Amino acid sequence: MASVALSEAEKVYIVHGVQEDLRVDGRGCEDYRYVEVETDVVSNTSGSARVKLGHTDILVGVKAEMGTPKLEKPNEGYLEFFVDCSANATPEFEGRGGDDLGTEIANTLYRIFNNKSSVDLQSLCISPREHCWILYVDVLLLECGGNLFDTICIAVKAALFNTRIPRVRVLEDEEGSKDIELSDDPYDCIRLSVENVPCIVTLCKIGYRHVVDATLQEEACSLASLLVSVTSTGVVTCMRKVGKGSLDPESIFEMMETGKRVGKVLHASLQSVLHKEESLGPKRQKVGFLG
């Protein structure tokens, strides 16, 4: 994970500020930084999104390919995650430096999506036991400025919202052999419902209090964080503690309640932005990578 070195005086300044609900950049303990979301940024994908949160910059591309359903789930398609930690994001990712972090993020995403309520995987099935859609979700870390997991989840949800999968018809002849016919119409496609896709809210314990959307400097002052996966209705789907420090049960309960409260607001804001951006249609001004 990207990190920053702070002096003891700087750490004391940050910790004391958090206790007073006043962070270095003027935010309160439960405030997010300004989030920039842009979808449909990569042309050769089924769906894509770029999200910037402070100095953290994430690009996600989703590619839909036809494959065979898993034996244990013959009526469902599935998602595959790959996370690439670019050496441009931080010098610590040079060589194989980002491999462990990439695997950790991918495993966390698998945990979040490994249930029937997040995404309707049955809608990805073309013909049971034979053909299904596999969604390859590629996450690229362009810049690391703290709060990676939250930013990645926002980007994944936005990219899945933007994903369009070609409509497929299964034709069966008299002999029983099946042919798959893809629609020629680029607008004849199926969309995924992302209503129940959860987002991660990371809560960093700093002193006696906890903060959301921590900067790199604040992460350096925190010994333990709680990753809370929350749906738009405030339901917690999974939790994970990271860091060397420990958390007492009372703190965990308080952090979960904060995660639910903040998560519901985050979902509502994201859905509003995504629908607003889509309603602009072709008139939308694309920023891309030169903005």
Side-chain angles (χ1 to χ4, degrees), residues 8-262:
E8 282 305 310
E10 287 173 306
K11 287 183 179 180
V12 167
Y13 179 71
I14 290 170
V15 171
H16 283 191
V18 167
Q19 308 316 305
E20 300 294 327
D21 196 24
L22 182 64
R23 293 155 78 175
V24 175
D25 52 11
R27 289 180 292 152
C29 287
E30 294 183 14
D31 296 336
Y32 268 84
R33 288 168 287 181
Y34 182 73
V35 186
E36 291 179 41
V37 181
E38 187 181 7
T39 59
D40 200 21
V41 288
V42 184
S43 58
N44 61 343
T45 58
S46 306
S48 59
R50 187 184 186 189
V51 173
K52 294 173 85 171
L53 177 59
H55 291 292
T56 301
D57 194 353
I58 305 293
L59 177 67
V60 174
V62 180
K63 195 87 171 170
E65 290 188 10
M66 221 174 281
T68 309
K70 293 179 178 177
L71 286 171
E72 64 273 20
K73 294 176 180 175
N75 300 320
E76 296 179 4
Y78 56 96
L79 284 76
E80 292 281 1
F81 294 98
F82 175 73
V83 181
D84 181 17
C85 300
S86 167
N88 293 333
T90 170
E92 292 164 42
F93 291 163
E94 281 185 33
R96 301 183 66 85
D99 286 4
D100 290 345
L101 178 61
T103 304
E104 183 188 346
I105 294 169
N107 288 341
T108 304
L109 290 171
Y110 278 119
R111 275 190 68 188
I112 291 173
F113 285 90
N114 190 23
N115 59 68
K116 291 182 178 178
S117 58
S118 294
V119 175
D120 181 14
L121 297 175
Q122 288 190 351
S123 67
L124 299 176
C125 183
I126 299 166
S127 60
R129 295 185 180 84
E130 292 176 355
H131 302 287
C132 71
W133 287 110
I134 304 167
L135 299 184
Y136 292 96
V137 182
D138 293 318
V139 180
L140 177 61
L141 277 61
L142 298 171
E143 194 177 352
C144 293
N147 203 20
L148 266 184
F149 286 93
D150 297 31
T151 317
I152 287 169
C153 272
I154 293 169
V156 168
K157 181 165 181 170
L160 289 173
F161 175 84
N162 181 241
T163 298
R164 286 159 174 78
I165 303 165
R167 199 174 292 280
V168 170
R169 293 170 187 84
V170 180
L171 307 173
E172 193 170 344
D173 61 19
E174 295 169 0
E175 296 169 6
S177 62
K178 294 178 180 176
D179 276 337
I180 290 175
E181 185 183 82
L182 250 72
S183 174
D184 294 332
D185 183 0
Y187 296 101
D188 186 17
C189 54
I190 57 173
R191 302 279 300 273
L192 286 172
S193 169
V194 297
E195 188 69 34
N196 296 321
V197 170
C199 281
I200 285 179
V201 177
T202 304
L203 300 118
C204 288
K205 187 80 185 285
I206 299 176
Y208 298 108
R209 298 191 69 163
H210 50 264
V211 300
V212 301
D213 186 23
T215 61
L216 278 179
Q217 289 78 10
E218 287 170 336
E219 285 178 359
C221 300
S222 173
L223 289 175
S225 301
L226 195 68
L227 272 58
V228 184
S229 169
V230 189
T231 66
S232 55
T233 55
V235 176
V236 175
T237 60
C238 72
M239 273 194 319
R240 184 169 156 246
K241 185 202 140 287
V242 292
K244 300 171 189 170
S246 59
L247 294 170
D248 60 280
E250 192 177 334
S251 291
I252 292 172
F253 179 76
E254 286 175 7
M255 290 162 99
M256 279 178 63
E257 290 302 307
T258 304
K260 286 192 225 174
R261 194 166 55 247
V262 172

